[in-house]
Amino acid sequence: MCTRHWTTALRTTALCSAAVLAFAASPVEAQSLDLASVELVTGHAGYIDETWDNRTMVGGLLRVSLTPHFAVGPEVVYLHGPDSAHELLLTGTATYDLVGSPTRRRLVPFIVFGAGLARRSSLVGRGPETTGLVRYATQEATASGGVGARIAIARHLFLSGDVRVGWAPERRVTLTVGWRR
């Protein structure tokens, strides 16, 4: 990926994160940004064309707490599919915990939303009456939302899973291992 694409991807992620922060910030009082968690993500994502085009995913994210229930942060996920197809998703992600005192509960259900940039690359045919494949790359916006649950397995360690639907990819199921303060 060339520098121009990385710059565009990082700018899009920063703008999405800034937009979430702007809507969540309270104009009445100052808020400190505390690191909420560091997370490693793996899972499955799928695109629909005429049939499902499935991907394996791996990535990571950082979250900062804006309130005891609301956290935001950047997420970077790599998706690998068949025939050398792959994507890199750079998103700003927000979660909202649905129960009181989320740091003291063993099971915490949450709502998740993410938006950012998807950079795709795959091999495609050159056209009629030609042989061989060429690499084709494109980028577009991505957004998804869904629900999940976080389970404490130690004081600072947790497992979580979520299911999302959206645009590019259309479905996403993840398992996350994370550390929190």
Side-chain angles (χ1 to χ4, degrees):
M1 186 183 299
C2 74
T3 305
R4 182 174 54 92
H5 294 299
W6 276 106
T7 303
T8 302
L10 291 173
R11 185 179 305 127
T12 302
T13 301
L15 287 174
C16 289
S17 296
V20 170
L21 286 170
F23 286 115
S26 169
V28 177
E29 60 186 60
Q31 299 175 4
S32 64
L33 296 179
D34 294 326
L35 179 65
S37 63
V38 176
E39 305 174 25
L40 298 174
V41 178
T42 188
H44 169 86
Y47 296 90
I48 188 70
D49 192 3
E50 292 173 1
T51 62
W52 281 101
D53 188 7
N54 299 305
R55 303 280 192 269
T56 302
M57 57 186 283
V58 63
L61 64 145
L62 299 172
R63 292 190 204 280
V64 293
S65 294
L66 299 180
T67 72
H69 294 276
F70 189 64
V72 297
E75 179 178 37
V76 178
V77 177
Y78 176 79
L79 285 74
H80 178 72
D83 302 322
S84 299
H86 59 273
E87 290 85 24
L88 181 65
L89 305 180
L90 300 170
T91 60
T93 302
T95 58
Y96 183 80
D97 296 334
L98 297 174
V99 295
S101 188
T103 57
R104 299 183 196 267
R105 292 188 172 263
R106 182 160 169 77
L107 177 66
V108 178
F110 60 86
I111 297 170
V112 62
F113 174 77
L117 182 72
R119 168 91 172 143
R120 290 188 179 72
S121 179
S122 61
L123 295 175
V124 297
R126 294 178 188 223
E129 301 179 22
T130 62
T131 59
L133 298 172
V134 294
R135 176 133 332 258
Y136 175 75
T138 185
Q139 59 188 29
E140 66 180 344
T142 181
S144 65
V147 296
R150 193 176 307 109
I151 302 167
I153 57 176
R155 182 171 181 207
H156 296 288
L157 194 63
F158 66 89
L159 288 175
S160 71
D162 66 66
V163 176
R164 300 186 205 183
V165 294
W167 176 256
E170 283 79 23
R171 71 174 178 204
R172 175 177 160 165
V173 179
T174 64
L175 176 63
T176 302
V177 175
W179 173 88
R180 68 174 170 219
R181 293 184 95 185

